């Protein structure tokens, strides 16, 4: 099964990171945050969940779906400020330009999901972009960050993303000009009409084994390789995603809670 670990940027150079974002739309940054900082943030989440929501770390019977709004007090209290490590800031400065990206008022939106019943499969719903994709944007108009606070293994609830699809978005925008549908939903519909592989991915009637077809077998459109990958990693690891990569939540069929922080970093115009 495909997972998004295209390089070892703890050893790779910034040009290699940039090349990974240009080619696949995904780049791995192991050790972006110290493991002890990831542990501290994880403990804050469990403590808050136990005190305010009745969800206990050591009692899986208490684990239940939680609306993101229930965890918002942590976000507003800057409980996840350690996400903006010096290493992460350096990478953003190098990729987007020092002083050329917008500082979030509060770092880290929590993505939390608990284990549920299987079987795991590639989802067909809720594929979306978190950024606009207007005509005339720069090649890298920002970056979306995913920081792992605990281990996320395959089929453990990690976000699924379509490697390479940002290049389809860019090509479509160039062809369509200013009339291009920059919002997520009209853009998804437009690409679904023109790319059969995406149309099948985004419908429940896609034939055959979805894991095999969309994750294990190769696909190509207009010379662009396409594949669904899971965003997996270890505590303190980070994945960087091009803002025009379509992605979706996936079922957690693992044994532990999936705890990931995401942040959307916009480049300055």
């Amino acid at each position: 099964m495909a997972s998004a670990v295209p390089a070892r940027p703890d050893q790779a150079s910034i040009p290699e990171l940039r090349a990974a974002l240009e080619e696949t739309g995904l780049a791995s940054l192991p050790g972006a945050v110290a493991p002890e900082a990831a542990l501290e943030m994880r403990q804050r989440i469990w403590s808050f969940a136990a005190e305010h929501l009745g969800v206990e770390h050591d009692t899986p019977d208490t684990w239940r779906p939680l609306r993101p709004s229930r965890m918002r007090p942590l976000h507003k209290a800057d409980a996840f400020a350690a996400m903006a490590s010096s290493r992460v800031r350096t990478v953003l400065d190098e990729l987007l330009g020092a002083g050329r990206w917008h500082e979030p008022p509060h770092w880290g939106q929590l993505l939390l999901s608990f284990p549920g019943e299987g079987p795991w499969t590639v989802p067909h719903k809720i594929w979306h972009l978190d950024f606009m994709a207007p005509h005339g944007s720069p090649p890298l108009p920002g970056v979306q960050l995913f920081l792992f606070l605990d281990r996320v293994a395959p089929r453990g609830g990690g976000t699924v993303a379509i490697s390479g699809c940002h290049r389809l978005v860019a090509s479509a925008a160039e062809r369509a000009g200013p009339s291009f549908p920059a919002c997520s939903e009209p853009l998804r519909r437009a690409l679904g009409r023109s790319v059969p592989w995406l149309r099948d991915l985004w419908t429940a009637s896609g034939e055959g084994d979805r894991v095999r077809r969309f994750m294990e077998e190769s696909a190509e459109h207009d010379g662009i390789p396409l594949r669904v990958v899971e965003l997996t990693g270890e505590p303190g690891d980070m994945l960087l995603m091009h803002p025009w990569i379509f992605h979706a939540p996936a079922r957690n069929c693992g044994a532990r809670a999936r705890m990931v922080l995401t942040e959307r970093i916009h480049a300055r115009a």
Side-chain angles (χ1 to χ4, degrees), residues 84-133:
S85 69
S86 59
R87 186 161 181 234
V88 170
R89 289 178 177 278
T90 296
V91 167
L92 292 174
D93 283 346
E94 293 288 345
L95 289 174
L96 302 175
R100 301 298 302 168
W101 51 276
H102 293 277
E103 176 90 17
H106 303 284
W107 283 82
Q109 173 190 341
L110 177 62
L111 305 177
L112 173 64
S113 64
F114 294 109
E117 296 182 358
W120 192 95
T121 191
V122 179
H124 68 276
K125 294 182 178 179
I126 322 181
W127 288 93
H128 66 284
L129 299 178
D130 290 348
F131 287 67
M132 299 281 283

Side-chain angles (χ1 to χ4, degrees), residues 198-259:
L198 290 176
R199 178 198 62 211
D200 292 346
L201 172 63
W202 292 336
T203 57
S205 59
E207 296 181 358
D209 182 339
R210 289 178 63 87
V211 172
R212 176 183 55 78
R213 179 177 181 192
F214 297 115
M215 300 184 74
E216 297 174 356
E217 295 182 352
S218 60
E220 187 176 291
H221 184 83
D222 286 346
I224 300 172
L226 301 170
R227 187 187 298 270
V228 173
V229 298
E230 291 182 87
L231 307 191
T232 60
E234 300 294 330
D237 288 354
M238 180 176 283
L239 282 165
L240 285 67
M241 187 172 77
H242 193 287
W244 297 345
I245 291 285
F246 274 91
H247 56 288
R251 184 188 299 271
N252 184 349
C253 294
R256 67 177 74 197
R258 171 251 193 164
M259 287 187 178

Side-chain angles (χ1 to χ4, degrees), residues 166-186:
H166 63 303
R167 297 166 62 188
L168 293 179
V169 173
S171 295
E174 184 177 353
R175 289 194 303 269
S179 64
F180 185 65
C183 297
S184 177
E185 182 55 26

Side-chain angles (χ1 to χ4, degrees), residues 17-77:
L17 268 178
R18 192 185 303 278
L21 287 170
E22 291 175 356
E23 178 67 21
T24 69
L26 298 160
S28 177
L29 191 66
V33 169
E36 54 268 26
L39 172 61
E40 182 178 351
M41 289 186 281
R42 191 164 74 241
Q43 289 174 333
R44 287 179 183 173
I45 294 166
W46 282 119
S47 295
F48 180 90
E51 181 178 355
H52 299 282
L53 306 174
V55 175
E56 300 282 349
H57 179 204
D58 298 323
T59 312
D61 287 347
T62 67
W63 296 358
R64 62 184 185 277
L66 297 174
R67 295 193 304 274
S69 61
R70 303 294 299 276
M71 309 300 288
R72 195 168 293 155
L74 280 173
H75 181 252
K76 290 186 176 180

Side-chain angles (χ1 to χ4, degrees), residues 142-157:
V143 65
Q144 186 159 356
L145 310 176
F146 294 86
L147 174 66
F148 300 95
L149 300 184
D150 202 352
R151 184 170 190 262
V152 177
R155 305 193 181 194

